[in-house]
Amino acid sequence: MNLLMEWEYTVEAPSENDLCTRIRRSEQALMAHHEAVLRAYGLTMTQYTVLLILSREGGRSGAQVARSCGVTQQSMSSVLANMETKGLIRRETSPVHAKVQIATLTDAGQALLDRAYQEVIILERALADAFTPSEQAALCELLERATTVLTQQTRHATTRAGRGEGAAREQPARGRGDE
């Protein structure tokens, strides 16, 4: 085998123009803002999201809240236990299934959400002011489309990984004649 082997694949550093890089940068800036605001209220982003979900949708099981937050049921179980200890939520046995606990907001949880939301909404308003209504609509539609593609690709990657297939197997090898 030749000691000066060529790479089979061209690996390039992410460019500032790559869509995934731009989406990631926006998401990081959003999370940094929210985390800074929420820290002052003693909340994590996940806890804030739980408060929002329960405020908007009413009582939910831990599994339902976990799905809405995009975390595992095990992770959500500890989040909910911590929030219950803080008096932000209460959990009661479901009238339908004895092994299921239904989480609901307490008055203290709703009051904390209301206070935190007043600061979080400042960013929402600043973003809205940065775009015309038609630009906002277009951006929302484009983000939804991007989310759909990202979700589909994640499912495909998970399926490939489960079968022991890597992305490298799907790309043709490049030799000297391919340049």
Side-chain angles (χ1 to χ4, degrees), residues 17-46:
N17 292 325
D18 289 344
L19 291 176
C20 288
T21 300
R22 288 180 178 264
I23 291 169
R24 189 177 119 262
R25 284 179 45 210
S26 293
E27 191 267 343
Q28 286 175 326
L30 174 67
M31 292 301 290
H33 172 271
H34 281 8
E35 287 171 0
V37 167
L38 297 173
R39 195 174 305 120
Y41 294 93
L43 292 170
T44 65
M45 190 64 203
T46 302

Side-chain angles (χ1 to χ4, degrees), residues 7-135:
W7 291 95
E8 285 188 51
Y9 308 102
T10 302
V11 178
E12 297 177 17
S15 163
E16 291 299 311
N17 292 325
D18 289 344
L19 291 176
C20 288
T21 300
R22 288 180 178 264
I23 291 169
R24 189 177 119 262
R25 284 179 45 210
S26 293
E27 191 267 343
Q28 286 175 326
L30 174 67
M31 292 301 290
H33 172 271
H34 281 8
E35 287 171 0
V37 167
L38 297 173
R39 195 174 305 120
Y41 294 93
L43 292 170
T44 65
M45 190 64 203
T46 302
Q47 291 171 332
Y48 176 76
T49 305
V50 169
L51 293 176
L52 273 177
I53 290 165
L54 295 178
S55 176
R56 293 176 179 168
E57 299 174 15
R60 293 284 179 255
S61 72
Q64 291 171 317
V65 178
R67 279 191 296 278
S68 295
C69 289
V71 301
T72 65
Q73 289 183 34
Q74 294 81 4
S75 294
M76 185 52 63
S77 179
S78 359
V79 169
L80 293 175
N82 180 289
M83 294 177 75
E84 188 173 30
T85 300
K86 290 181 176 181
L88 302 176
I89 65 162
R90 77 177 57 84
R91 293 190 286 179
E92 298 172 350
T93 303
S94 167
V96 178
H97 196 292
K99 292 185 179 182
V100 175
Q101 296 273 309
I102 302 297
T104 57
L105 275 182
T106 62
D107 290 343
Q110 184 65 57
L112 182 61
L113 173 61
D114 291 344
R115 289 193 313 273
Y117 184 78
Q118 292 310 308
E119 288 201 48
V120 169
I121 196 68
I122 292 170
L123 177 61
E124 182 73 30
R125 290 182 184 129
L127 282 170
D129 290 346
F131 300 100
T132 66
S134 62
E135 288 173 330

